Structure formats: structure tokens, C-alpha cells
Amino acid sequence: MKISNPVSFNRSTMTRMAPKIGQYIILTLLVIPFVYPFWWMMINSLNTPDQIFGMPRLLPVSWKWSNYTEAFAYQPFAKQFLNSLYIASLVTMGNLFISGLAGYAFAKMKFKGKNVLFLLLLSALMMPIEVTLIPNFFFMKSLSLIDTHIPLILIPIFGAQGAFTTFMTRQFFITIPDELEEAANLDGLTPFNTFVKIIVPISTPVFSATAILSFLYSWNSFLEPLVFNDNISLFTIPLALANFNDSYGLPQWHLQLAAATASVLPILIVYVIFQKKIINAMAFSGLKG
Amino acid sequence: MTGIHKKKVTPYIFIAPQMVGYLLFVLGPLIAVLVYSFQDRNLLTGINQFVGLQNFSKMFRHDPIFWKTIGNTITFSLGQVPLNILLSLAIAIMLSRQFRGVGFFRTLFFSPVVTSAVAWAIVWKFLLQGGEQGAVNALLGIIGIQGPNWLFEPGWAMFSVIINRVLKNLGMNVIIFLAAVMNLPQHYYEAARIDGAGRIRIFLQITVPLLMPTLLMVTIITVIGSLKVFDTILLLTAGGPSNSTMVLVYYIYYQAFQFFQYGYASAVALVLFVFVLVLTAIQWSTRKRISHYEN
């Protein structure tokens, strides 16, 4: 229905453009509180403590790069960074393997009690880890596992996060046609080898999505490390960030901001590169409830 | 014979690690927390004494902070959820149109979601400093408004943690709504346009009803999430001032790991469990009804 009327042409482009420009203005105003804190954090990670406060600046005043070296010297931040990295990696791998295997059995195999067991496992999805934290603390204590990383690795793999990965992988495996496995069976592959050699390679979409979720879950988790670890050299990044206080309990603001920037920036960069994958994975996780 | 035997066992071997882990770290602890709630557990003396309903009577009858905590948790949810849902739906609808830079905006709105709540709260703690110290008040000062001491005044502290949490998690709901809006069946819209329906009418009579299932689901997810808020509170206000931001999970943590009242904290944890259970039940029943409609 494009009837161009030369007289009203100017006017109609105006009315067509106006909402568009308005939309840009509204979105830009709305997005500021979501984005500006990151900019503020980066700028002030390069300032002295007294330059941090007052009227916000657009650029750092003193470009004090030594804040970063000081932050890494203040507590074993490099070690804490590695702690987070290896814990999140182990959680991710354990999650994919153990939950993937279970998800495969629930999707493709027939066995007694399947539905009951699956429902039981699904119930973990609605179980807040906060509810079971105290018994888990006593359990870990009785095994002398407090002040180790083992609770931070085991609980996400086997708890709600694991149940969620099982659910997610199951939903994907169900869509794989049975003929593939029948062929593998004829070739004499065991179920385990069928899973590893046939199923896993064609399931990268669901595995990469769950990997992202498990990694971010572990990387950002705060309450469990707080409860299970007291020793500063065992801290993960979120704990370390909360811990930039001097011996009098006064916060070391500039160092805290440098450490926060150093921890947030890698995640943001990875996010910008893989944003489509990450957003899709997170959107899916929102559906779990 | 062995082949058949093997086949029967295989699925159980596949699910065994996950199921055993579930028993050890989820179901077992859930039963344990129920047992603990009838005990006085003392880590120092190692005495775990059965005290009957003492924890519950303390909680419901003799602990004003518990009721304050429940009230605060509800305030936090009621404050957070409508703001989050309305704003994320509006942003999702704006971002569902095709225009230059739409992907850029999506990326930006979502970026706090991938960031740790700890880093997010730390930065906002600076921005919300009182006087002219914090950036927020400094900017308000330009237009002649003297901002409050956001995190240290009882009325404003709750407001501040609500806003902080909304900004942190909103991107998530934007993405869920966006997916739903983009998948709306287009033929309804074409029919409505042919009938000459206006934009507002189309929105209210087509978009909103079609989005209802998603809206319900997102609302419940957001409520459950808001019941579990912890790191934001710990870092911004530590439950203060004068317990005005003390919420359920923070209270559980405080009673158990600061005050060593493990039995009492377990009783409070059960309250959280019941809340989540009820909400999940509502979610499942609505989901059932919705899938019934779809069929």
C-alpha cells in the first residue's frame, strides 16, 4: 500500500523518522544505568582513592596503573583467579559428562522406574541450594572437606545445576533419531561408546550452552564459597572482591575497583565475542525456573 | 544371556552418578534440614539436642526480626517484580523491531547478567554513597536535588537494593520476552490490521493475551529468584540499617554462620523451602493449563 503523495512526502518521512529517533533516545537513556557502572568502574580503577568520589569523570585523572599491581599484591589475587578458573572448569566438565550421561539414559533408554527417577531428579531444580546449605556444611565438615574446593566442585555437579543439565541434555537427545544408535549398535559399539563417539559430536549446541551456564554459575557463585572457605588463598574471585579491606576493616577502594575490573573485563570480552551463544543459553536457563 | 543382562544394567550405570549425587547433596540434606529444625545444634560443643518445636515457636512468636525478615522479603519481591516485568517487557518490545543497532542495545542490556552480582554491587556501593560523594548524588546535585544517603537510611536502603537487583537481572527477562515476542504468530496481526485496529488495541488485545503464558512464567521465576537474594544484600547493606534490608537467605546465613544457631537457621530455611514449593506448584499448574490451551 505505498501510494506516494508528493505533497505530503516531507511530512510522512518526518512522521516516520520521529518515532525512530524517539526510540533511539529512549533506549539510550534506559541503557545508561546498565552500562555506565562498567565505565565508571574501569575509569576509577585507575584513580587514587580520593579521586573516586564526587562528580563522575569521563576519563581517569591519574592513570594509576599501579592500582592493578597493588591489587594483585594485596591478596593472592592471581591464585584466587586460578582457583575460580579451575573450579569453574572442573564443574563444567563434570557437569557435561555426568549429567550428559544421565540425560542420555533418560532420553534414549528404556528402564524400570525411569519416570519416577526423572521426576525425582527434576525436583532438585526447585530446591534452592540455600535450603540445603546447612546440612551440606555439616556433611562436608564431617568429611573434613571444609576449607577445600571439593564442596564447590561437588555440589554444583550433583545438585540443582547437575539436574538442570540432565534435563537440558535430555530434551536435546530426544530429538536425535533412533536410527543413528541402531546403526552404531549394528557396528558393535557399546552404549557408552555410542554416547561418546556418535551422540556427543552431534550434540555440540546443547553441550556448549550447558557449558556456558555451568561455567558462569560456578564463576559467579558467592554463598557457597563464603560458607565453605575461610582461607584467603582458597578464595574464589567473588569472595576476593568482597575482601579488599585493610587490617582496620577499611575498604581499599581503588584496589577493589582494579580487582573488580580485572575480574569483570575477561568475562565481558568473552561475552561480546560469543554473545549470541551466551544469550541463547541464558534465555534457556531462564525457562528452568 | 550376558548381553541382555548388560543391557538391563546399562541405563542404571549411566544415571547412577547423578542419582547418587542427588541423594547425597540434595535429597539427604533436605531431610536433614527438617531434622535439624527440631534440634539445638551447637558446633562448638558438638551437642545436637532434640528440642521439639522450640525453634518454630521462637521463630513465629518470639523473634520480631524473623517477621521483619518475612516482611522485607515480601517488600523486596513486590518492589522488584513489577518493575522488572514491566520494564523488561517494554524494552523487549522496543528491541523486537528491526532497526540499525538493535543488536548493540541487546548486548548492552544483557551485560550485567553475565557479570557477578558481587562486582555489580561493589560498583553500585560507590555510586550510591551519601552526601555529594557518590556519583548518583553528584549528578542529582546538578539539577538541584539533594540525594539521600541511599544505603544507610532505612527507607532508601530497600529501594536501593531493589533497583540494584532489577538492573542486574533485567536483561535476562528482556531476552525471554524478546524470544516470545518474536515468535508471536503474525497472522493475528495481519487480520487485526485489515480490520483497522489501532496500535494500542492490537497491543492490548493481541500481544498481551498471547504473551500471557510467558508473562506468568517469567513472573514466577522472578519472584523465586527474588526470594533467594543474598550477595546483593550482603555487599550493599549487610541487612541494615536496623534490619531494614534483612531478607530470608541473608537471615539464614546470619543465624547459621555468624550466630551459629544452626537448628534455628534450619527452621528458617524450611520457610524458604515452603515459599519456593508453593510458587513452583503454581508455576507447574499454570504450565499444565497453558499447554492444555495450546493443544
Side-chain angles (χ1 to χ4, degrees):
Chain A
M1 291 245 266
K2 274 184 189 158
I3 306 161
S4 43
N5 180 340
V7 179
S8 69
F9 176 74
N10 264 337
R11 209 186 150 155
S12 79
T13 39
M14 277 287 282
T15 46
R16 236 185 299 141
M17 288 302 285
K20 242 187 184 169
I21 293 166
Q23 182 160 310
Y24 280 116
I25 293 171
I26 292 171
L27 279 172
T28 306
L29 287 177
L30 275 175
V31 91
I32 288 171
F34 293 81
V35 182
Y36 178 69
F38 292 115
W39 185 247
W40 188 93
M41 172 183 77
M42 287 186 237
I43 288 166
N44 286 295
S45 73
L46 295 169
N47 275 340
T48 60
D50 52 310
Q51 289 162 344
I52 290 172
F53 294 102
M55 191 58 75
R57 299 173 169 85
L58 275 177
L59 285 172
V61 184
S62 40
W63 295 94
K64 208 168 154 261
W65 293 101
S66 63
N67 282 351
Y68 283 83
T69 46
E70 272 182 63
F72 276 79
Y74 185 79
Q75 51 180 329
F77 197 62
K79 174 133 198 321
Q80 294 158 339
F81 210 96
L82 285 178
N83 288 343
S84 274
L85 197 63
Y86 102 85
I87 292 171
S89 305
L90 281 181
V91 165
T92 308
M93 287 189 286
N95 220 229
L96 294 192
F97 181 67
I98 287 169
S99 308
L101 215 53
Y104 179 64
F106 280 122
K108 289 295 197 169
M109 294 176 175
K110 285 193 185 112
F111 54 96
K112 240 188 193 163
K114 179 164 126 173
N115 290 337
V116 176
L117 289 174
F118 187 61
L119 271 180
L120 200 66
L121 192 65
L122 275 191
S123 74
L125 290 185
M126 59 160 199
M127 209 85 80
I129 59 135
E130 294 81 0
V131 170
T132 46
L133 191 66
I134 298 168
N136 270 326
F137 172 77
F138 278 96
F139 183 38
M140 294 299 174
K141 195 163 178 65
S142 71
L143 299 172
S144 303
L145 291 175
I146 301 298
D147 268 334
T148 71
H149 287 143
I150 292 171
L152 309 185
I153 296 163
L154 289 185
I155 292 175
I157 292 178
F158 292 108
Q161 195 62 26
F164 175 62
T165 309
T166 306
F167 174 68
M168 217 164 144
T169 49
R170 174 190 173 266
Q171 300 304 90
F172 183 86
F173 294 145
I174 279 179
T175 64
I176 297 175
D178 290 339
E179 285 79 24
L180 267 177
E181 287 140 294
E182 281 157 19
N185 194 20
L186 286 179
D187 286 346
L189 282 181
T190 62
F192 183 75
N193 277 336
T194 309
F195 176 69
V196 172
K197 290 185 178 151
I198 311 287
I199 302 297
V200 171
I202 58 168
S203 306
T204 41
V206 72
F207 278 115
S208 58
T210 37
I212 290 165
L213 293 174
S214 295
F215 192 91
L216 276 179
Y217 174 86
S218 170
W219 183 266
N220 289 337
S221 90
F222 181 67
L223 180 57
E224 292 143 292
L226 181 68
V227 165
F228 291 114
N229 288 327
D230 262 337
N231 185 333
I232 198 167
S233 70
L234 292 173
F235 278 9
T236 55
I237 288 174
L239 273 190
L241 287 184
N243 193 45
F244 274 95
N245 295 316
D246 69 12
S247 47
Y248 300 103
L250 294 171
Q252 297 289 311
W253 294 301
H254 53 309
L255 304 188
Q256 194 174 35
L257 285 172
T261 307
S263 74
V264 167
L265 220 49
I267 290 285
L268 281 184
I269 290 168
V270 172
Y271 162 63
V272 168
I273 296 170
F274 297 105
Q275 48 166 313
K276 226 175 184 165
K277 271 210 156 101
I278 292 175
I279 286 180
N280 285 342
M282 297 290 275
F284 197 91
S285 86
L287 304 180
K288 79 175 169 172
Chain B
M1 237 350 239
T2 49
I4 294 163
H5 180 70
K6 235 187 185 168
K7 258 195 177 155
K8 274 196 168 165
V9 176
T10 310
Y12 296 107
I13 296 173
F14 274 38
I15 65 168
Q18 189 77 76
M19 292 314 290
V20 171
Y22 168 80
L23 292 179
L24 284 179
F25 300 110
V26 181
L27 196 62
L30 181 68
I31 295 164
V33 84
L34 192 68
V35 175
Y36 289 7
S37 69
F38 294 99
Q39 288 179 336
D40 181 15
R41 288 187 82 82
N42 194 321
L43 201 60
L44 296 175
T45 58
I47 296 168
N48 306 321
Q49 207 179 358
F50 178 78
V51 293
L53 291 169
Q54 202 179 296
N55 288 328
F56 292 95
S57 78
K58 178 185 170 192
M59 187 163 78
F60 290 125
R61 294 206 300 216
H62 307 293
D63 184 0
I65 298 176
F66 169 74
W67 286 111
K68 190 155 194 188
T69 301
I70 296 289
N72 288 341
T73 308
I74 293 171
T75 310
F76 182 78
S77 290
L78 289 183
Q80 213 240 130
V81 173
L83 190 64
N84 188 327
I85 301 286
L86 290 178
L87 203 56
S88 57
L89 185 59
I91 293 172
I93 286 171
M94 278 192 259
L95 293 181
S96 68
R97 302 193 188 115
Q98 284 304 317
F99 57 90
R100 201 183 284 259
V102 63
F104 179 67
F105 278 112
R106 254 178 242 173
T107 309
L108 294 185
F109 278 114
F110 198 76
S111 49
V113 178
V114 294
T115 311
S116 80
V118 172
W120 187 251
I122 284 172
V123 175
W124 276 95
K125 191 166 185 172
F126 287 106
L127 297 177
L128 292 173
Q129 288 299 309
E132 294 277 302
Q133 296 274 38
V136 171
N137 279 357
L139 291 174
L140 285 175
I142 296 175
I143 48 171
I145 297 173
Q146 201 188 350
N149 197 350
W150 298 96
L151 299 171
F152 294 94
E153 288 173 28
W156 288 109
M158 181 54 93
F159 175 80
S160 304
V161 292
I162 287 172
I163 299 294
N164 182 274
R165 176 81 174 192
V166 168
L167 292 172
K168 165 77 177 71
N169 288 343
L170 186 109
M172 186 76 164
N173 288 349
V174 169
I175 295 302
I176 297 173
F177 279 133
L178 194 57
V181 171
M182 304 278 254
N183 286 327
L184 289 176
Q186 287 306 308
H187 56 267
Y188 289 110
Y189 288 89
E190 283 150 25
R193 261 179 235 122
I194 288 165
D195 289 348
R199 275 186 118 168
I200 294 167
R201 250 193 89 184
I202 289 180
F203 178 75
L204 288 178
Q205 301 200 334
I206 298 179
T207 308
V208 170
L210 284 175
L211 282 180
M212 224 39 199
T214 315
L215 209 61
L216 262 173
M217 184 198 70
V218 171
T219 304
I220 291 175
I221 292 172
T222 312
V223 175
I224 293 178
S226 72
L227 293 179
K228 296 197 268 185
V229 62
F230 175 73
D231 19 23
T232 307
I233 301 283
L234 178 76
L235 283 147
L236 283 180
T237 63
S242 54
N243 294 321
S244 62
T245 54
M246 181 64 88
V247 291
L248 259 177
V249 174
Y250 192 78
Y251 198 50
I252 296 167
Y253 169 79
Y254 177 78
Q255 285 292 341
F257 300 104
Q258 301 283 309
F259 220 49
F260 309 112
Q261 300 289 320
Y262 296 101
Y264 186 59
S266 297
V268 181
L270 278 182
V271 175
L272 173 67
F273 177 67
V274 170
F275 271 134
V276 175
L277 195 70
V278 169
L279 285 163
T280 312
I282 296 172
Q283 186 187 11
W284 282 38
S285 72
T286 51
R287 193 179 273 178
K288 237 180 220 162
R289 213 184 315 148
I290 288 157
S291 59
H292 178 73
Y293 280 137
E294 279 166 358
N295 289 340

